[in-house]
Amino acid sequence: MNKSCYGYSGKILRVDLTTGVFEIESTMKYAHKWLGQRGIGQSILYNELKPSVTPYEPANKVIIETGPLTGTLVPGASRFSISSKNAFNGGVGTSSCGGFFGPELKFAGYDFVIIEGRAQMPVFLWIYNNDIVIRDARHLWGKTTWEAQDSIKEELKDERVHVACIGPAGENLARGACVISGNRAAGKCGMGGIFGSKNLKAIAVRGTGAVEVAHPERFMKAVNEAFKREESSESLKKLSEYGTISGTKTRNKYNSLPYKNFQETQIPNDVLEQMSPDIYKDNYSVRSLNCMACSVSCCKAYFIDHGPYAGLYNEGFHLNTLADYAGKCGVEYPPAIIKVQALCNQLGLDLDASAGAISWALECYQRGILTQKDTDGLKLEWGNHELIVQLIWKIANRDGFGNILAEGCKKAAEIIGRGSEEYAIHVKGQELYEEIRSPLGWGLGACVATRGGGHTTGSPAFELYAMENTKAAKAWKKLLGITEVDPISYKDKPEIVLYFEREQELINSLGICMTHGTWLDPTLLGIPELCELYSAATGIETTEEEMIDIADRILNLEKAFNILHAGFTRKDDFPPERFFNEEIKSGLYKGFLMSKEDWGRMLDRYYYLRGWDLQAGLPTRECLEKLDLDDVANDLERNGRLGKNN
């Protein structure tokens, strides 16, 4: 442990898999400007990767990241993230994961691990405090993530080792491959395939140190206050009882769950009743699980004792699993949803990516664009769970038609053609699980997200729940300085997204789970509380204004990375055309049709709040220089991509 710093371990481990050489450098040269975790990782990638580098080549880098609060007693301070080039689009790629791996890396004495090059054969990286070893993993290649983790612990003779590893999907470079730790997933952006491209099966870590804080009494006062906030949160009580599927009925009521590849915005009520939170709780739930330093227990473990999937035990079931497979793919059998989630985790395959590709194929088959000649003789019928299981295996192993689906729906549609592009539902090349038409704030946040197609970097969670609770709605309006919470109103959505982008950049850089922030409940951790926790832990006194500047600096750097590496423009902040062409067909908002003009005006307002060029959506020199990003402004100007003042 570096005693000259607190919160941070102070060390970055850099490993070159090509040469087998590793180096240690200081975290603190980045900390003041970039905070931690996602912020520092993105700054390293921006400065060290050329735009010409592609995701799967050895010149690409992958960074395992923790935050200055990871491994402390702050509620939800369990997160680590993985950043690299996005396997779907070459732009910003980052994915967060809970559990215990991140804290264990801190206990071993490292804030970051930067992986470079490519090993000549499959390997895994073993980190035990100061002992760093690259070990042969040829015997692990081809194993599932569950098998690989068990084998590594047995080989190292220590059950307390924590492992982040890939399965067959990552080995075969499926675009949607993810990294699994325990039974938690770093799911988005294809980080599993980046591991696979480097012949890196896993990283195993064991640490015997601790995270020290600068002001223990002050820090514990802030921690205790945070836990008191959580004890009184009704939102967290529901989350603790059911997990994230607690919001299923509310989301469906307000036309916010996709059905059959977004042909509908609601799951039919008779199907939904079979998928209700109480069904899962009463019939399959056997225990609740926590990540480190978390009292919420949103992770549920299920056991199936009957039917074709009898004997299956699985952990980590969440709302997007239902939305992806009961919703987008039309599966109506609850044990099959549990099976699919378990299989994706075993194979190391992102749920959203696999469901996006499969639901695209199902609709193309429905419309006669795909036939059995294209699909290895398979009849692609909605809701056929045996078929879904088979397709997931084929995607992970790039077998036959699965080889096309493994590219993701955007690239798969480009391969097939025949008008199939219309049914590939993605943003910036990455599959959506979220409905965009309602709520619009959630949709805007997912569409402008730098990594593309995800709600965890700026989408608000409160819009639907505020409709159910007048008291909560008033609290949200006061906190955000807004007047409107209607899910299908365009008003105030840019202001809401700006607020949550800032909060999420900070949370994702500090190492905290987003469910502990005001994203879920206005009484939980906001930016002032994050400032106090960070200052007390690190001894680096930081104001709310300074924190907001850091958040804006990180997001603008990510925006510039996307512009230079992926060529994104204003059009990439729009949702797929389907959402402008098809109105909501049933339910509370029946007849509502999104307007491209109104969406454009929302973007204008969002760009204005960000200080970007309204016409092109590009950061301006004035904006970047205010954030101490003069070098980024120069890079954009050299490439003809610097925004003009409005």
Side-chain angles (χ1 to χ4, degrees), residues 420-456:
S420 65
E421 297 89 343
E422 180 179 349
Y423 308 108
I425 308 301
H426 65 88
V427 170
K428 298 180 176 70
Q430 190 156 231
E431 280 85 357
L432 280 174
Y433 110 75
E434 33 256 307
E435 177 55 55
I436 298 298
R437 288 160 284 203
S438 171
L440 286 169
W442 182 286
L444 179 63
C447 288
V448 300
T450 52
R451 69 178 190 171
H455 63 277
T456 58

Side-chain angles (χ1 to χ4, degrees), residues 3 5 9 78 130 155 158 191 251 313 393-394 418 425 469 533 554 564 604:
K3 300 295 183 182
C5 60
S9 74
S78 66
N130 293 325
E155 182 176 333
D158 191 343
M191 296 297 104
R251 289 177 68 91
Y313 170 85
W393 275 102
K394 290 173 79 67
R418 308 173 203 165
I425 308 301
N469 188 314
L533 288 164
I554 296 167
L564 296 172
D604 288 345

Side-chain angles (χ1 to χ4, degrees), residues 229-301:
R229 289 171 177 267
E230 299 202 343
E231 288 173 3
S232 61
S233 170
E234 292 300 320
S235 297
L236 289 186
K237 288 177 184 177
K238 291 181 180 178
L239 199 62
S240 182
E241 183 176 5
Y242 293 105
T244 56
I245 64 172
S246 61
T248 303
K249 290 185 178 180
T250 299
R251 289 177 68 91
N252 208 57
K253 174 182 176 181
Y254 290 97
N255 295 96
S256 191
L257 283 180
Y259 188 60
K260 293 189 175 179
N261 197 37
F262 298 90
Q263 294 183 65
E264 300 275 359
T265 61
Q266 287 183 312
I267 298 174
N269 287 331
D270 58 334
V271 176
L272 189 69
E273 284 304 313
Q274 299 179 56
M275 301 293 172
S276 74
D278 285 316
I279 291 289
Y280 282 94
K281 177 186 174 185
D282 296 341
N283 294 284
Y284 306 106
S285 181
V286 291
R287 61 187 296 210
S288 295
L289 301 159
N290 299 69
C291 297
M292 182 185 162
C294 182
S295 61
V296 177
S297 306
C298 74
C299 182
K300 303 303 176 184

Side-chain angles (χ1 to χ4, degrees), residues 8-23:
Y8 303 94
S9 74
K11 293 191 296 184
I12 296 173
L13 172 63
R14 191 180 290 263
V15 180
D16 189 325
L17 294 178
T18 302
T19 63
V21 173
F22 67 88
E23 301 173 347

Side-chain angles (χ1 to χ4, degrees), residues 324-617:
D324 279 329
Y325 284 96
K328 282 164 37 181
C329 296
V331 175
E332 301 181 9
Y333 181 47
I337 307 294
I338 299 172
K339 169 64 178 179
V340 163
Q341 198 264 349
L343 183 59
C344 283
N345 275 14
Q346 288 173 292
L347 297 173
L349 189 60
D350 178 48
L351 287 157
D352 298 347
S354 56
I358 291 171
S359 61
W360 164 81
L362 290 168
E363 183 166 6
C364 288
Y365 190 87
Q366 169 195 327
R367 298 182 182 278
I369 296 171
L370 291 175
T371 69
Q372 287 177 264
K373 291 181 180 179
D374 302 299
T375 64
D376 305 330
L378 297 173
K379 293 182 179 180
L380 303 191
E381 299 170 335
W382 294 107
N384 183 336
H385 56 87
E386 292 93 346
L387 168 73
I388 302 296
V389 167
Q390 189 174 358
L391 288 175
I392 289 171
W393 275 102
K394 290 173 79 67
I395 291 171
N397 292 285
R398 283 192 174 270
D399 175 58
F401 182 55
N403 189 44
I404 295 175
L405 296 180
E407 289 297 312
C409 70
K410 178 180 183 292
K411 292 181 184 293
E414 290 169 353
I415 293 168
I416 295 296
R418 308 173 203 165
S420 65
E421 297 89 343
E422 180 179 349
Y423 308 108
I425 308 301
H426 65 88
V427 170
K428 298 180 176 70
Q430 190 156 231
E431 280 85 357
L432 280 174
Y433 110 75
E434 33 256 307
E435 177 55 55
I436 298 298
R437 288 160 284 203
S438 171
L440 286 169
W442 182 286
L444 179 63
C447 288
V448 300
T450 52
R451 69 178 190 171
H455 63 277
T456 58
T457 53
S459 294
F462 76 87
E463 292 166 284
L464 306 184
Y465 307 112
M467 298 295 290
E468 300 279 285
N469 188 314
T470 303
K471 182 180 179 181
K474 288 181 179 178
W476 282 117
K477 289 176 181 179
K478 181 178 179 180
L479 176 68
L480 301 173
I482 61 173
T483 60
E484 184 60 78
V485 296
D486 184 348
I488 59 170
S489 169
Y490 297 93
K491 182 176 172 51
D492 290 337
K493 297 303 191 278
E495 285 81 0
I496 295 169
V497 168
L498 177 71
Y499 176 90
F500 284 106
E501 282 183 332
R502 287 170 168 168
E503 182 178 290
Q504 294 295 39
E505 286 287 12
L506 296 175
I507 279 177
N508 287 328
S509 294
L510 291 170
I512 304 172
C513 176
M514 64 189 295
T515 58
H516 299 266
T518 62
W519 178 78
L520 189 67
D521 187 319
T523 66
L524 297 178
L525 297 178
I527 294 175
E529 291 75 31
L530 297 176
C531 286
E532 176 59 14
L533 288 164
Y534 175 74
S535 298
T538 65
I540 303 171
E541 294 298 329
T542 307
T543 67
E544 184 176 350
E545 292 73 22
E546 288 169 332
M547 278 286 205
I548 289 172
D549 281 347
I550 292 172
D552 287 347
R553 184 178 300 128
I554 296 167
L555 189 135
N556 274 270
L557 185 80
E558 293 175 352
K559 179 76 171 180
F561 189 98
N562 275 345
I563 292 166
L564 296 172
H565 289 249
F568 289 147
T569 64
R570 179 184 170 98
K571 67 178 177 61
D572 295 291
D573 289 339
F574 276 79
E577 285 293 319
R578 167 167 242 168
F579 297 112
F580 297 117
N581 298 331
E582 298 180 14
E583 64 183 25
I584 292 177
K585 299 173 184 175
S586 61
L588 191 63
Y589 297 131
K590 181 179 179 180
F592 175 75
L593 179 64
M594 272 177 50
S595 160
K596 186 173 287 189
E597 291 74 22
D598 285 331
W599 188 277
R601 283 190 280 270
M602 272 204 308
L603 273 188
D604 288 345
R605 177 63 179 167
Y606 170 77
Y607 292 159
Y608 173 80
L609 294 171
R610 279 268 166 224
W612 297 346
D613 181 327
L614 267 60
Q615 297 301 314

Side-chain angles (χ1 to χ4, degrees), residues 85-124:
K85 276 212 160 186
N86 192 311
F88 290 92
N89 56 42
V92 168
T94 183
S95 188
S96 178
C97 186
F100 298 87
F101 181 91
E104 197 71 22
L105 186 60
K106 290 283 290 289
F107 301 155
Y110 305 97
D111 295 307
F112 295 83
V113 181
I114 303 173
I115 305 293
E116 304 173 329
R118 182 179 188 270
Q120 292 184 346
M121 63 181 185
V123 299
F124 77 90

